[in-house]
């Protein structure tokens, strides 16, 4: 089952906003806060959408070392889904 458009739009808006701040932040505390917010959102978001974005990787959007690339990937995927 695929996530519905409304679910994708909501997640995209949140992720896109957080990515823009994260990419330009120079404050570690702010970046950590964004990582926590996104991880919490990922835990409660549509299971269908998370499965599509993560390709079955439970650590997707939850690991510090891969967070920025995961978030960029998620934003790109959702942009494609919304076209």
């Amino acid at each position: 089952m695929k996530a519905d458009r409304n679910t994708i739009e909501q997640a995209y808006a949140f992720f896109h906003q957080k990515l823009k701040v994260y990419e330009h932040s120079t404050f570690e505390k702010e970046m950590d806060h964004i990582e926590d917010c996104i991880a919490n959102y990922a835990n409660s978001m549509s299971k269908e959408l998370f499965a599509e974005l993560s390709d079955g990787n439970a650590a997707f959007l939850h690991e510090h070392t891969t967070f920025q690339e995961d978030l960029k990937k998620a934003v790109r995927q959702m942009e494609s889904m919304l076209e």
Side-chain angles (χ1 to χ4, degrees):
M1 175 178 238
K2 292 198 176 236
D4 68 38
R5 185 171 184 85
N6 187 47
T7 299
I8 298 167
E9 287 174 347
Q10 288 176 359
Y12 174 78
F14 184 65
F15 284 18
H16 184 267
Q17 176 202 32
K18 295 299 183 193
L19 175 61
K20 293 302 169 197
V21 174
Y22 190 88
E23 288 179 320
H24 296 98
S25 180
T26 57
F27 301 106
E28 189 173 330
K29 196 172 210 169
E30 179 180 49
M31 294 169 77
D32 288 344
H33 178 71
I34 291 170
E35 289 181 28
D36 289 343
C37 288
I38 294 289
N40 287 335
Y41 188 95
N43 288 338
S44 64
M45 71 188 292
S46 155
K47 301 301 177 208
E48 293 85 3
L49 181 55
F50 185 78
E52 287 182 64
L53 298 175
S54 69
D55 294 324
N57 176 6
F60 187 74
L61 297 170
H62 291 84
E63 295 293 326
H64 175 73
T65 56
T66 59
F67 177 78
Q68 187 169 4
E69 285 308 310
D70 288 351
L71 186 54
K72 285 180 183 179
K73 178 184 177 215
V75 167
R76 282 192 308 268
Q77 281 182 267
M78 288 186 283
E79 284 173 348
S80 292
M81 293 171 166
L82 293 169
E83 289 181 345

